[in-house]
Amino acid sequence: MFRSLQSDDHNLITLSVNGRSVKARKGQSVWSAMAVASEVVTRKAALSGNARSAYCAMGVCFECMVEIDGLANQQACLSRVAEGMNVSTQVITEDTEADAGL
Amino acid sequence: MQAFDCAIVGAGPAGMSAALALTQGGADVIVLDRADRAGGQIYRSASSSPLPDAASLGPDYAAGADLITRFERSGAKHLAGADAWHIGDDGRILFSYQGDTRELHCREMLLCPGAMERPMPIPGWTLPGVMTAGAAQVMLKSDAVVADGAVFAGSGPLLYLIVAQYLRLGVRVAALVDTTPRRHYLDAAPLLPRAWRQVGQLRKGLSLLREIRAAGVDTYRYAENLEVIGEETAKGLRFSISGQPHEVSADTVFLHHGVQPNLNMTRAMGLAHHWNNAQMCWQVTVDEFGQSAISHVSVAGDGAGIVGADGACAAGRVVAQNMLYHLGRVSRTGRDRNSHADLYYLSSMKPFRRFIDCLYRPTEALRLPRDTETLVCRCEEQSLGDLRAGFEQGARDPNALKSLTRCGMGPCQGRQCGHVVTGLLAQWRKESPDAVGYYRLRSPQRLLTVDELGRYNTIPAEAAK
Amino acid sequence: MKADALIIGGGIQGCATAYHLARKGVSVIVVEKDYAGRHASGVNAGGVRLLGRDMAEVPLSKASMEMWQTLDEELGHDTGFRRQSLINIAADEGDLDTLRAREAKMHEAGYAYERMIDQAELRDRLPHVNFDCVGGVISELDGYAIPYKATSAFRLAAENLGAKVIEGEEVLSLRRVGNTWLAQGSRNAYEAEAVINCAGAWADRIALMIGDNVPLSHAAPMLMITARMPHFAKPVVGAVSRQLSFKQFENGTVLIGGGAKGFADRANNRTRLDYAKLAAACRTTAEFFPNMRKASINRMWAGLEAYMPDNLPVICPAVNAPRAFHAFGFSAHGFQMGPIVGQVLADLVTGGQSRFNLSPFRIDRFDRKVL
């Protein structure tokens, strides 16, 4: 279980992770905000659909790719939280179909 | 397009030290770094720690804060949040900045791509909850986030450091599972007397181990046959010691067995690389001044071969002197005089480095997977068995194997599987890693949206500044 | 080392020729200076295209397309071929006029495999296409294959029939003594009764060793591939008058081409990319398919490719030497023709003739009288 060592309530913002409202500190990485909120599954592997999570947390493994505000393939460990941000586990497997075009 | 005397990619210890020396020498310097703040991995957030008590991370980390402050006052232009994705041998750099692609030119180029942790492809290493010890460091330094009751497994100073830091901060550690084999102590012992010149470094290492022991953390030594337990997420670590099975329960498993240069930047540029058998990794081929075969391209720090933070600082200063010489700002004798002390320091570090490299040499059992189902390529989910099948179909070259199996084609661009593929092919072909080679890499070194690249070359010059 | 036939170049043309010769019981050695499929054959866009071919190529291309449909079973290995159709999009009325003229020409020649589609059918087949596009043309048999896999499939099938493929072997010299070709490689010496030049971007050098001059030039067509995306386009996509070309593979990745060229550095065995042109390709792609704006480009590359002045290949017996043959200069559209070219060359080597009219593909078609 991940937890923050900071106890003060300054600079808190609210974002949504997989539809859940989550508090995080301004400037914090999206990944660590997810970790503290126990939302550790960042993506589903493309072939097996197995759950994956951040491995390196420094931008070299690309395991923490999530969808942020509708944009896929965002590395959660390199992205910063923002007020009102919408983060979700990325599910793009070989079977995923796009919504019909307009 | 803006032009500079010198462009430095990476604001870690090497890049910052080089920038300081270059600006002191009168050069016009820009430093690109994708992080919001200078420091690199080792001095990450050192000048802006979110921790209530940053001193608990140790005096080395505090020294980083001082370097960052001096760098920020140096006069070098620091472009934070600039993520370089193409570095051309013509001195052109393309980078993402605030959502757009920008471009700059420079006479002299210094690459400081730093290090990354050596992947540890053991069964279960792709389960959520399995991370590297470096990941624990990053989360601690940047965001003051820790994992309670984690197990730390592997070998090497960085592993002991993070365990000690956790303990100082009162974070519970389930166990330290040390994989350093008994024979490594015997192999390294004869190298100890010469390493003694770096007595300070040795003392630091010993005191970390003492600290961990004193805290009463369950410590297992000589562990082998590591395997992460768990179906959907990590539930613990299984291993054996002298054939006896052991198991530790934990939701979080931090793995570490050394670091290796972050290759993608130097590889994509087409620079020559060679296999470093002492550190079991590829490293870019440069001379003692960090200069590559392309005279205006230099590499410094861990990205040019693992030297550690102090070594990286010295290397950065040395490379800067050579660049000043290229720019006509110091004479050749001036360069040699100004870099003499640092070159001496770097060479005096070597016996210590040899001792550390020997003691914590990554074992083949942790470097290369053994179970056919264990994934080598995390992105494209290619297992040892898949790669063996590809090899048997005639793909003997890393690039041929990549073309056939997709191993290395995913977003990480081979960062996690590349060394493993070289190692496996060397074993199967019964040839040296140098004969096997590595992936042919290309820019971009990050994912780039069609939208962002599409705006490149259409951004008005004013806005691009 | 001795064989009946020595093939120089382990690309798809060389490997397919080896396969067809081996099937006829001819002993074959393929020598490849890098590894089989290293250059254009292994890194091209994988288009298996009949649509829009030059009239001179249509008979060969049609025959090849029929072979592609059952190639996996024939070779016993996966080429990655998928028949997904290919649509060239008409952006405006001018494009439709171009298509009508082409249609008339094709009908006159007796070909009916290209069919014009209207706006409704275009939207039905490509729901994400820009609403302004007015129609297009489709070829149903077309699709894509995985280049390295297809080349490798021919190589493995040839090897199963006894052909030898020797990688890392560059031919340094070639000469004919009596009835034998002697080749000196960087590692071994070879003797063969017939020699076949399938050396791609290096074929002009081999042609010179044989005794034939050829006006070959080089370029580096560039490609980009995205990270996986939700499936949105089954057909391979092109445009009538714009540099648009992409295909979404079964695995979800999207390969963007379009013909933009980088820099071919043949002397150093490498290519360089032209990012401004890649940026333009991104803009074109996003213009035709607005959903592509959010796509993440994962890799970019270019392959070394050989071009003839008329963009038609050389497929013929050598002019200035007996028992030597050429197949090269496919000008960035040779991948689809690999299966039939292998068969044609095997026929030329064993019987001296082909059932196809090869006169447009003679190596000496650019020879001129001295002015």
Side-chain angles (χ1 to χ4, degrees):
Chain A
M1 289 292 279
F2 293 94
R3 68 180 162 96
S4 173
L5 293 174
Q6 285 174 289
S7 49
D8 61 84
D9 287 339
H10 299 311
N11 292 323
L12 286 185
I13 56 115
T14 306
L15 68 155
S16 155
V17 180
N18 289 328
R20 264 183 64 204
S21 185
V22 164
K23 291 251 184 272
R25 277 188 176 69
K26 216 177 151 194
Q28 194 176 353
S29 77
V30 171
W31 157 246
S32 75
M34 291 173 76
V36 171
S38 296
E39 290 277 351
V40 294
V41 178
T42 48
R43 69 181 188 108
K44 294 290 179 79
L47 279 77
S48 63
N50 288 342
R52 293 290 180 86
S53 182
Y55 176 68
C56 76
M58 57 170 273
V60 293
C61 76
F62 291 73
E63 285 287 8
C64 68
M65 292 194 305
V66 293
E67 200 171 304
I68 298 180
D69 295 333
L71 195 57
N73 304 317
Q74 303 304 298
Q75 287 172 273
C77 73
L78 299 181
S79 308
R80 304 279 141 211
V81 295
E83 181 66 45
M85 181 183 261
N86 227 310
V87 179
S88 55
T89 295
Q90 177 163 316
V91 185
I92 303 177
T93 68
E94 303 219 326
D95 303 324
T96 312
E97 296 287 334
D99 298 334
L102 294 171
Chain B
M1 196 192 316
Q2 286 183 291
F4 296 84
D5 287 342
C6 307
I8 299 175
V9 181
M16 289 191 291
S17 302
L20 274 164
L22 284 165
T23 47
Q24 269 164 23
D28 164 34
V29 181
I30 184 163
V31 182
L32 307 180
D33 191 278
R34 77 175 174 203
D36 298 335
R37 288 206 163 79
Q41 296 301 336
I42 188 88
Y43 298 146
R44 183 184 269 268
S45 305
S47 63
S48 56
S49 176
L51 286 166
D53 179 20
S56 55
L57 299 187
D60 286 352
Y61 186 63
D66 174 56
L67 177 61
I68 293 169
T69 308
R70 286 190 292 132
F71 165 66
E72 278 168 351
R73 290 178 187 155
S74 69
K77 182 173 179 178
H78 174 209
L79 212 54
D83 199 355
W85 60 261
H86 169 69
I87 298 171
D89 53 15
D90 55 356
R92 186 167 67 138
I93 299 177
L94 300 184
F95 57 99
S96 294
Y97 185 66
Q98 296 177 345
D100 278 320
T101 289
R102 307 289 169 88
E103 184 170 14
L104 65 82
H105 257 177
C106 59
R107 289 168 188 266
E108 289 288 316
M109 191 180 257
L110 173 58
L111 310 182
C112 304
M116 56 169 271
E117 279 171 289
R118 178 176 283 110
M120 200 194 279
I122 57 174
W125 76 305
T126 56
L127 289 170
V130 182
M131 300 182 80
T132 65
Q137 277 267 349
V138 169
M139 294 173 77
L140 176 63
K141 288 177 189 170
S142 295
D143 297 324
V145 168
V146 295
D148 279 310
V151 54
F152 289 81
S155 163
L158 288 177
L159 184 73
Y160 312 133
L161 176 64
I162 180 69
V163 172
Q165 288 170 335
Y166 261 39
L167 294 171
R168 286 173 210 156
L169 290 161
V171 183
R172 194 174 66 79
V173 172
L176 169 62
V177 178
D178 194 322
T179 60
T180 314
R182 195 175 261 118
R183 64 165 197 284
H184 283 199
Y185 292 93
L186 302 174
D187 292 346
L191 301 171
L192 189 57
R194 295 199 61 204
W196 206 254
R197 285 163 78 179
Q198 296 293 327
V199 64
Q201 298 275 3
L202 290 170
R203 276 219 189 93
K204 267 192 255 174
L206 286 171
S207 75
L208 284 179
L209 292 169
R210 260 201 308 273
E211 200 178 335
I212 294 167
R213 214 169 301 138
V217 173
D218 283 348
T219 302
Y220 300 86
R221 295 180 77 186
Y222 316 120
E224 295 175 296
N225 303 313
L226 268 58
E227 184 184 336
V228 179
I229 320 166
E231 291 293 321
E232 314 219 311
T233 61
K235 294 288 173 219
L237 189 73
R238 190 177 291 147
F239 53 94
S240 66
I241 294 169
S242 311
Q244 286 297 107
H246 292 267
E247 223 174 271
V248 179
S249 294
D251 291 338
T252 314
V253 179
F254 290 117
L255 303 175
H256 178 86
H257 61 150
V259 297
Q260 61 193 30
N262 206 342
L263 286 180
N264 287 48
M265 202 177 275
T266 51
R267 282 272 179 191
M269 218 176 154
L271 299 179
H273 289 69
H274 61 273
W275 181 259
N276 179 331
N277 214 43
Q279 299 185 340
M280 297 305 276
C281 60
W282 289 104
Q283 75 181 49
V284 64
T285 305
V286 292
D287 68 11
E288 65 169 338
F289 287 99
Q291 182 184 318
S292 74
I294 303 166
S295 67
H296 59 269
V297 178
S298 303
V299 191
D302 278 350
I306 304 306
V307 288
D310 294 341
C313 288
R317 289 189 295 265
V318 166
V319 172
Q321 288 303 320
N322 192 45
M323 290 163 77
L324 288 169
Y325 165 59
H326 288 174
L327 291 167
R329 290 183 178 274
V330 295
S331 64
R332 197 185 169 94
T333 46
R335 172 196 75 176
D336 293 347
R337 191 179 55 242
N338 295 346
S339 47
H340 183 262
D342 282 319
L343 284 171
Y344 178 78
Y345 172 71
L346 285 168
S347 85
S348 75
M349 287 277 289
K350 280 180 186 160
F352 171 69
R353 197 72 246 175
R354 270 197 284 276
F355 170 73
I356 291 290
D357 289 345
C358 180
L359 182 58
Y360 298 121
R361 184 181 168 85
T363 60
E364 188 178 294
L366 295 177
R367 224 165 34 85
L368 303 178
R370 289 188 297 179
D371 288 13
T372 52
E373 294 84 28
T374 301
L375 292 187
V376 173
C377 173
R378 300 175 67 112
C379 298
E380 294 296 325
E381 297 183 82
Q382 294 299 307
S383 67
L384 172 64
D386 296 328
L387 297 190
R388 181 70 208 189
F391 175 72
E392 277 160 13
Q393 279 192 43
R396 294 164 50 82
D397 179 279
N399 296 291
L401 195 60
K402 175 177 168 184
S403 292
L404 196 64
T405 63
R406 297 188 58 77
C407 179
M409 276 196 184
C412 97
Q413 298 263 16
R415 287 170 174 92
Q416 296 298 318
C417 65
H419 278 80
V420 181
V421 164
T422 294
L424 289 173
L425 286 174
Q427 205 173 64
W428 296 338
R429 283 165 54 168
K430 299 184 177 63
E431 287 183 274
S432 69
D434 278 310
V436 168
Y438 193 76
Y439 297 134
R440 218 165 33 241
L441 296 181
R442 296 274 202 179
S443 307
Q445 282 135 57
R446 63 182 299 255
L447 293 167
L448 210 56
T449 65
V450 164
D451 201 23
E452 183 195 322
L453 182 58
R455 284 199 308 275
Y456 166 61
N457 225 28
T458 59
I459 307 162
E462 272 311 299
K465 274 182 189 165
Chain C
M1 299 175 83
K2 279 187 188 179
D4 296 336
L6 176 69
I7 298 173
I8 302 169
I12 191 164
Q13 316 297 348
C15 290
T17 304
Y19 165 71
H20 284 286
L21 280 171
R23 256 180 46 156
K24 288 173 183 278
V26 177
S27 69
V28 185
I29 294 175
V30 180
V31 290
E32 161 56 49
K33 74 174 174 57
D34 294 303
Y35 59 82
R38 158 69 181 87
H39 290 285
S41 294
V43 302
N44 69 71
V48 177
R49 170 179 70 88
L50 183 50
L51 185 67
R53 289 257 167 195
D54 187 291
M55 283 299 189
E57 278 180 356
V58 168
L60 282 172
S61 184
K62 266 192 85 192
S64 210
M65 194 57 98
E66 278 158 31
M67 295 169 83
W68 275 106
Q69 312 295 324
T70 54
L71 202 54
D72 285 12
E73 298 95 278
E74 183 185 340
L75 300 179
H77 292 279
D78 181 21
T79 64
F81 176 70
R82 295 291 180 272
R83 194 174 99 184
Q84 303 282 56
S85 81
L86 164 60
I87 294 176
N88 274 345
I89 299 169
D92 52 31
E93 281 301 317
D95 283 351
L96 287 179
D97 290 342
T98 308
L99 289 180
R100 285 185 199 107
R102 164 89 180 176
E103 189 176 48
K105 209 166 128 191
M106 292 297 282
H107 284 175
E108 198 181 317
Y111 298 128
Y113 58 85
E114 293 185 4
R115 180 172 65 81
M116 283 185 69
I117 58 174
D118 61 11
Q119 190 175 48
E121 185 171 355
L122 176 68
R123 288 182 190 171
D124 186 47
R125 287 177 180 266
L126 289 166
H128 292 77
V129 73
N130 186 319
F131 245 53
D132 296 338
C133 296
V134 291
V137 61
I138 187 168
S139 171
E140 299 275 8
L141 284 178
D142 293 17
Y144 64 76
I146 307 297
Y148 181 84
K149 279 193 177 179
T151 304
S152 185
F154 270 114
R155 174 230 175 116
L156 292 168
E159 285 177 329
N160 283 345
L161 295 169
K164 281 198 179 66
V165 178
I166 300 170
E167 298 180 317
E169 179 76 291
E170 183 178 7
V171 171
L172 304 173
S173 76
L174 196 57
R175 62 201 173 98
R176 188 166 168 85
V177 176
N179 290 325
T180 306
W181 282 102
L182 303 179
Q184 183 57 52
S186 45
R187 293 188 294 166
N188 303 300
Y190 301 86
E191 286 188 25
E193 189 271 324
V195 64
I196 301 136
N197 173 17
C198 298
W202 291 264
D204 53 339
R205 287 192 197 164
I206 303 297
L208 203 63
M209 292 181 197
I210 289 169
D212 290 342
N213 272 308
V214 61
L216 196 71
S217 65
H218 301 89
M222 298 185 291
L223 296 169
M224 301 179 266
I225 195 155
T226 70
R228 286 183 174 81
M229 300 176 66
H231 287 277
F232 73 96
K234 270 230 149 71
V236 177
V237 175
V240 175
S241 63
R242 297 285 301 280
Q243 285 203 327
L244 171 77
S245 170
F246 74 81
K247 55 183 70 76
Q248 184 168 30
F249 291 110
E250 257 178 350
N251 63 29
T253 60
V254 179
L255 183 74
I256 304 172
K261 296 192 178 83
F263 308 101
D265 182 1
R266 185 171 73 153
N268 292 308
N269 217 17
R270 63 181 286 185
T271 57
R272 281 159 211 278
L273 304 181
D274 184 333
Y275 297 97
K277 285 189 188 147
L278 288 170
C282 283
R283 290 194 288 277
T284 309
T285 307
E287 189 186 322
F288 279 84
F289 286 83
N291 68 312
M292 283 292 290
R293 289 182 57 180
K294 287 182 174 181
S296 301
I297 299 163
N298 182 18
R299 291 175 291 125
M300 304 170 175
W301 70 97
L304 266 171
E305 173 64 345
Y307 291 75
M308 289 296 287
D310 56 0
N311 288 323
L312 290 177
V314 169
I315 308 169
C316 65
V319 173
N320 293 308
R323 304 302 292 152
F325 304 86
H326 301 292
F328 63 85
F330 286 84
S331 313
H333 51 270
F335 179 63
Q336 186 267 351
M337 305 231 277
I340 193 68
V341 169
Q343 197 185 71
V344 165
L345 280 181
D347 287 343
L348 289 179
V349 172
T350 55
Q353 54 189 350
S354 166
R355 65 191 162 103
F356 294 95
N357 170 21
L358 300 178
S359 62
F361 314 122
R362 284 178 299 116
I363 194 166
D364 59 349
R365 64 186 186 267
F366 294 98
D367 282 4
R368 283 175 292 192
K369 286 179 190 154
V370 177
L371 293 174

